[in-house]
Amino acid sequence: MASETWVAFPRWLASAVPGEPVREDWGVAVRGALIVDVAPSGHLRRNFAGARVVELPDCLLLPGLINLHCHAAMSLLRGVGDDLPLKTWLEERIWPLEQALMCEDFVADGSALAAIEMLLGGVTTVNDMYFYPEHALTAMRAAGMRVVAGLIVVDFPSAYARDAEDYLRKGLALRDRWLGDPLCSFSLAPHAPYTVSDAALREVAVLAAELDLPVHMHLHETALEIEQSLQQHRMRPLRRLEHLGLLGPELIAVHAVHLTVDDISCLAACGVHVAHCPHSNLKLASGFARVEAMRKAGINVGLGTDGAASNNRLDLLAEAATAARLAKAVSGKAEAFGATEVLHALTLGAARALRLDQRIGSIEKGKEADLVAISMQSVHHTPVHDPLSHLIFVAGREDVLEVWVAGQAVVSRRQPVGLGLQGALQRVGARSAMWQNRVEEVLAGRP
Amino acid sequence: MASETWVAFPRWLASAVPGEPVREDWGVAVRGALIVDVAPSGHLRRNFAGARVVELPDCLLLPGLINLHCHAAMSLLRGVGDDLPLKTWLEERIWPLEQALMCEDFVADGSALAAIEMLLGGVTTVNDMYFYPEHALTAMRAAGMRVVAGLIVVDFPSAYARDAEDYLRKGLALRDRWLGDPLCSFSLAPHAPYTVSDAALREVAVLAAELDLPVHMHLHETALEIEQSLQQHRMRPLRRLEHLGLLGPELIAVHAVHLTVDDISCLAACGVHVAHCPHSNLKLASGFARVEAMRKAGINVGLGTDGAASNNRLDLLAEAATAARLAKAVSGKAEAFGATEVLHALTLGAARALRLDQRIGSIEKGKEADLVAISMQSVHHTPVHDPLSHLIFVAGREDVLEVWVAGQAVVSRRQPVGLGLQGALQRVGARSAMWQNRVEEVLAGRP
């Protein structure tokens, strides 16, 4: 069973390999976790005559989507205090709730909920950052998802850890325990310039180099962050990271909303990757990231949903549509960030930022079979003149028909079929009502 | 059957009546086309004991959504030339296609396709503007939709009409033929300042006053439009309309992207309504409408999808989410355009712009029963702390469970149940492949 061979025949295949067009009448052969062939359908039907066949009429097959920035557990706090000024939202809603509710179970249940939502929407890999990363990782891996666990570091104490050293020690121990899992990898995740000290950031830079780990960090999200850094450190956060040895191809800068022309050149020259989270940036009124300018400068840009408390959909297809449209308006060019480039950001670009591009991010022989089939059979896809345009500008997550992670079917006919995913669904169904009551108690001042 | 009484019991009811909160455990009683009671469930269960009961567990019931600006027939041109500069898109794609394909059948088939997509997504009323408005109207009414038919006026000839006089004559004759239809009303639809002469616009102003009709017109969509008007007319389009007697509460200004502070004051003082189309404005790189500034000035703002050639989803819920998020970033205020205000724009605000607010736009006794039930049963709605936040920031059109137009069920359990809608589906299924071939022939230079 683990090395069963099967062949999928979609109507269109978007490999996400740079330069390759969308193919019609091509298919993919999978054995165990791996893609063993990508070729015209006739060739595959001859060469894999005994294999199980998965027919995908009217479907576009593409690599699994990669969510380059998430706080999965926050799905339990979705819609708690929308339409409030940022300060009120944080001080009167998010922080008191986190303080009252933060524990292993909160993270496990919220992350399971998020993993289900993401998998049903075609997201096969998530780059996560939150307290209790081992419980997030365990819950999301159990649901069947590929996870990059962010080893969170902040200076302030939480229920999870005492200080920066404690966060780091716990994170590294977690990494040691999970090193053998094939669907799990790690990043160092210092939260943001304003929550981590110079000393801790220096330690992160050393560890990133020693252990060859990516670094996942909020950067230049708001104007206030930059202002405060100028007051406190007499330099912009980006320059501070440069001084601390953190600006390099290991860094995934999340948001990167407020960048000067010099900042963009600097990020490009250092090979820093950017996780663009347009819904969060708009909803929190953080500002407009200059994605097209970053891309033109050579910066590798991926897309992230951020957490459900500030988005409020963990829906990477919707994020992609917004990113594409927004880049056009921000740059003033209708040709900016076209569908091909957005597909790259959703897949291979994000995989590269996570150092997983040798294993996932495109449909190529030898890569792992993280695959998504988008159905284009419904009225809103009638007719399809350009399947890639429909993927980015028309398709919604309701069109995600089939999802595989490392060759295993997780979603089929829009329904959860993976045993892990079904188990996660049962678990969160029972527990979310309890969390809802707890949230309401805290907001009512009865924690 | 026509005057059957039924009662719907949703979990939450958002009446969209200003000042009324979301109610829990309330219901709606409907007789024929009309809402006959809105009250707590216990009251309705007693007072309508014999009536058919529609249970809507985990649903939010709200008024049918109103699409304040569409070119429905363009759904046949969806995705033809995305990611191109505006000039190339128009000159090499849209115009040649429209020139080659424009005919009664193109408009009828494209509009039917659009009506199906919109109804399945909870849009019960559309304000349309396109050539052959009678064929658009006939197709969309047949599908079961409430339609405001825009009587289009442009100065250039088309297959449909010769000159401005001819457009107007045909439009008014159409209105005479349809005056008795209870689900149809009309607007005068001069296309834009740059496509209609002073003489024709004066005529429109006179007719609007005489016949008491709204006027539906693109206005200040792009910077180029304003530049060209300054060159040709020595004034901004808005000022030109003022001189021509068109700035008043009859006018629905579509887009209104490029407005000075004075422009906003002027629109507010004149009682002009705005149809905000954020996806189209972003995708065509037109710019950022200042929705919050308009609303604060007292301008009534509704939402439109524009046509599928420039959006490319006729999905008003997605448009609402973008409008809400974008208003926050454009104004720099996370509290801008909150969920309650966005609901108003989607329903009663748009109804007022169309002069239909005495009949639709809110759930009130005596109004017509255009209703939508949004299911909040899925994982991405688990848990629901605030149903209105979920409506605007979480729900997608995949969550639209039930739709009624004037008391008639059109969509039930996400499936088309209206006979007209089923008929429309059968019709477009067969014909869209033909249109796809014709589009490809034209693009390949074989018209």
Side-chain angles (χ1 to χ4, degrees):
Chain A
M1 188 66 186
S3 60
E4 186 210 17
T5 301
W6 52 276
V7 200
F9 296 110
R11 172 152 178 205
W12 301 281
L13 189 147
S15 69
V17 175
E20 281 189 10
V22 172
R23 315 278 199 184
E24 245 188 290
D25 205 21
W26 277 50
V28 182
V30 177
R31 184 175 301 132
L34 297 181
I35 295 167
V36 292
D37 208 351
V38 187
S41 299
H43 170 92
L44 292 181
R45 288 192 199 270
R46 281 190 304 276
N47 286 25
F48 294 87
R52 180 164 60 88
V53 168
V54 178
E55 298 286 355
L56 299 167
D58 291 316
C59 281
L60 170 67
L61 190 71
L62 67 151
L65 309 179
I66 299 173
N67 187 351
L68 198 53
H69 178 62
C70 193
H71 310 291
M74 295 185 89
S75 57
L76 287 170
L77 302 180
R78 195 194 309 258
V80 172
D82 291 317
D83 306 328
L84 291 175
L86 197 58
K87 194 166 150 25
T88 315
W89 177 71
L90 276 174
E91 294 180 0
E92 295 181 18
R93 301 294 171 99
I94 298 302
W95 290 345
L97 283 164
E98 286 190 338
Q99 184 144 18
L101 304 178
M102 186 59 58
C103 66
E104 298 175 352
D105 282 352
F106 179 87
V107 172
D109 293 339
S111 302
L113 205 56
I116 302 165
E117 181 181 1
M118 287 191 276
L119 285 167
L120 288 169
V123 179
T124 53
T125 299
V126 64
N127 184 34
D128 198 49
M129 177 200 285
Y130 208 59
F131 303 103
Y132 296 103
E134 185 152 18
H135 294 80
L137 172 59
T138 306
M140 294 199 282
R141 283 289 300 107
M145 197 158 195
R146 190 184 294 273
V147 179
V148 181
L151 309 178
I152 190 170
V153 185
V154 290
D155 270 344
F156 57 82
S158 67
Y160 168 59
R162 209 170 43 245
D163 54 23
E165 277 305 311
D166 196 27
Y167 282 94
L168 270 172
R169 189 171 49 247
K170 285 179 167 145
L172 295 175
L174 150 62
R175 176 171 167 272
D176 289 342
R177 284 193 292 276
W178 279 77
L179 262 181
D181 187 292
L183 297 189
C184 159
S185 62
F186 299 90
S187 66
L188 292 160
H191 172 264
Y194 53 93
T195 49
V196 191
S197 68
D198 283 3
L201 287 174
R202 267 195 212 95
E203 178 71 13
V204 165
V206 169
L207 284 168
E210 264 179 19
L211 305 173
D212 199 23
L213 285 175
V215 177
H216 174 197
M217 187 176 190
H218 299 93
L219 188 61
H220 284 218
E221 179 178 5
T222 64
L224 184 66
E225 170 193 337
I226 295 171
E227 218 174 277
Q228 289 181 336
S229 177
L230 284 169
Q231 282 174 8
Q232 206 181 330
H233 302 281
R234 301 189 178 280
M235 58 185 119
R236 293 162 68 78
L238 202 145
R239 293 292 158 194
R240 185 170 152 239
L241 294 197
E242 192 178 21
H243 284 239
L244 296 167
L246 267 167
L247 286 198
E250 71 281 7
L251 183 64
I252 300 166
V254 178
H255 299 306
V257 170
H258 296 270
L259 298 180
T260 62
V261 172
D262 281 353
D263 291 341
I264 290 176
S265 304
C266 169
L267 289 178
C270 295
V272 172
H273 313 272
V274 165
H276 174 44
C277 306
H279 284 173
S280 170
N281 299 157
L282 295 176
K283 185 153 180 295
L284 300 178
S286 304
F288 300 93
R290 290 163 59 208
V291 172
E292 187 64 4
M294 291 193 247
R295 290 188 53 258
K296 290 281 180 220
I299 296 173
N300 177 40
V301 176
L303 301 176
T305 59
D306 209 344
S310 55
N311 183 330
N312 307 351
R313 276 166 82 99
L314 303 182
D315 178 351
L316 209 59
L317 275 178
E319 206 77 32
T322 298
R325 292 185 203 112
L326 198 59
K328 297 171 191 299
V330 168
S331 67
K333 293 191 171 69
E335 63 271 34
F337 210 23
T340 304
E341 287 79 43
V342 179
L343 174 63
H344 183 263
L346 283 168
T347 55
L348 195 58
R352 185 153 75 85
L354 295 169
R355 304 186 176 190
L356 293 172
D357 51 322
Q358 298 302 310
R359 293 173 54 196
I360 58 168
S362 56
I363 303 182
E364 286 181 272
K365 196 171 161 171
K367 282 204 172 178
E368 296 180 40
D370 289 9
L371 301 169
V372 174
I374 305 283
S375 168
M376 297 195 178
Q377 206 164 36
S378 50
V379 168
H380 58 271
H381 290 293
T382 306
V384 177
H385 299 300
D386 176 349
L388 219 48
S389 155
H390 275 244
L391 173 68
I392 302 302
F393 295 111
V394 183
R397 63 180 171 192
E398 67 273 22
D399 299 316
V400 171
L401 193 72
E402 312 273 334
V403 180
W404 294 267
V405 177
Q408 292 293 309
V410 181
V411 175
S412 183
R413 307 283 117 182
R414 297 189 175 83
Q415 299 303 312
V417 293
L419 288 181
L421 187 54
Q422 290 173 341
L425 260 171
Q426 278 168 7
R427 175 184 173 137
V428 299
R431 297 179 59 83
S432 64
M434 182 273 287
W435 288 115
Q436 177 163 24
N437 290 338
R438 294 281 289 120
V439 165
E440 282 165 18
E441 282 166 10
V442 175
L443 292 182
R446 299 177 269 108
Chain B
M1 187 66 185
S3 60
E4 187 209 18
T5 301
W6 53 277
V7 200
F9 296 110
R11 173 152 176 203
W12 302 281
L13 189 148
S15 68
V17 175
E20 281 190 9
V22 173
R23 315 277 198 183
E24 247 188 289
D25 204 21
W26 277 49
V28 181
V30 176
R31 182 175 302 132
L34 296 181
I35 295 168
V36 292
D37 208 351
V38 187
S41 298
H43 170 92
L44 293 180
R45 290 192 198 270
R46 281 191 303 276
N47 285 23
F48 294 87
R52 181 165 59 88
V53 167
V54 179
E55 296 287 356
L56 299 168
D58 290 317
C59 282
L60 171 68
L61 190 71
L62 66 152
L65 309 179
I66 299 173
N67 186 351
L68 199 52
H69 177 62
C70 193
H71 310 290
M74 295 185 89
S75 58
L76 287 169
L77 302 180
R78 193 193 312 258
V80 172
D82 290 316
D83 305 328
L84 292 174
L86 196 60
K87 194 167 146 38
T88 316
W89 178 70
L90 276 173
E91 293 178 2
E92 295 180 19
R93 302 293 172 100
I94 298 301
W95 290 344
L97 283 164
E98 286 190 337
Q99 183 146 19
L101 303 178
M102 186 59 58
C103 66
E104 298 174 351
D105 282 352
F106 179 87
V107 172
D109 292 341
S111 301
L113 205 55
I116 303 164
E117 180 180 2
M118 288 191 276
L119 284 167
L120 288 169
V123 179
T124 52
T125 299
V126 63
N127 183 33
D128 198 50
M129 178 200 285
Y130 208 58
F131 303 104
Y132 295 104
E134 186 151 18
H135 294 80
L137 172 59
T138 306
M140 294 198 282
R141 281 292 300 107
M145 197 159 195
R146 191 184 294 273
V147 179
V148 180
L151 308 178
I152 191 170
V153 184
V154 290
D155 271 346
F156 57 81
S158 69
Y160 168 59
R162 208 169 43 245
D163 54 23
E165 277 305 310
D166 195 29
Y167 282 95
L168 271 173
R169 189 170 48 244
K170 284 178 168 147
L172 295 176
L174 149 61
R175 177 172 165 272
D176 289 343
R177 283 192 293 277
W178 279 76
L179 262 179
D181 188 291
L183 297 190
C184 159
S185 62
F186 298 91
S187 66
L188 292 160
H191 171 264
Y194 53 93
T195 48
V196 191
S197 67
D198 282 5
L201 287 175
R202 268 195 211 97
E203 178 70 14
V204 165
V206 168
L207 284 168
E210 265 179 17
L211 305 173
D212 198 23
L213 285 175
V215 177
H216 174 199
M217 188 176 189
H218 298 93
L219 187 62
H220 284 219
E221 179 176 6
T222 65
L224 185 66
E225 170 193 336
I226 295 171
E227 217 174 279
Q228 289 181 336
S229 177
L230 284 168
Q231 282 174 7
Q232 206 181 330
H233 302 282
R234 300 187 180 281
M235 58 185 119
R236 293 162 68 79
L238 202 146
R239 291 294 158 194
R240 185 170 150 240
L241 294 197
E242 192 178 20
H243 284 239
L244 295 168
L246 267 167
L247 285 200
E250 70 281 7
L251 183 64
I252 300 166
V254 178
H255 299 307
V257 170
H258 296 270
L259 298 180
T260 62
V261 172
D262 282 352
D263 291 342
I264 290 177
S265 303
C266 170
L267 289 178
C270 296
V272 172
H273 313 272
V274 164
H276 174 43
C277 305
H279 284 174
S280 171
N281 298 156
L282 295 176
K283 185 154 181 293
L284 300 177
S286 305
F288 300 93
R290 291 162 59 207
V291 172
E292 188 64 3
M294 290 194 249
R295 290 187 52 258
K296 289 282 181 218
I299 296 173
N300 177 41
V301 176
L303 300 176
T305 58
D306 210 342
S310 54
N311 182 331
N312 307 350
R313 276 167 82 99
L314 302 182
D315 179 352
L316 209 59
L317 274 178
E319 207 77 32
T322 298
R325 292 186 202 111
L326 198 59
K328 297 171 191 302
V330 168
S331 67
K333 292 191 172 70
E335 63 270 34
F337 210 22
T340 304
E341 287 80 43
V342 179
L343 173 63
H344 182 264
L346 283 167
T347 54
L348 196 57
R352 184 153 75 86
L354 295 169
R355 305 185 175 190
L356 293 173
D357 51 322
Q358 296 304 310
R359 293 173 52 196
I360 58 170
S362 56
I363 303 183
E364 287 180 271
K365 194 172 162 172
K367 282 203 171 178
E368 297 180 39
D370 289 9
L371 301 169
V372 174
I374 305 284
S375 168
M376 297 195 178
Q377 205 163 37
S378 50
V379 168
H380 58 272
H381 290 293
T382 305
V384 177
H385 299 299
D386 175 350
L388 219 49
S389 156
H390 274 244
L391 172 68
I392 302 302
F393 295 112
V394 183
R397 62 180 172 192
E398 67 273 23
D399 299 315
V400 172
L401 193 72
E402 312 274 333
V403 180
W404 294 267
V405 177
Q408 291 293 310
V410 181
V411 175
S412 183
R413 307 283 118 182
R414 297 188 175 84
Q415 299 303 313
V417 292
L419 288 180
L421 187 55
Q422 291 174 340
L425 260 170
Q426 279 169 6
R427 174 183 175 138
V428 299
R431 297 180 59 83
S432 65
M434 183 272 288
W435 288 115
Q436 177 162 24
N437 289 338
R438 295 279 291 120
V439 165
E440 281 165 19
E441 283 168 10
V442 175
L443 292 181
R446 299 177 269 109

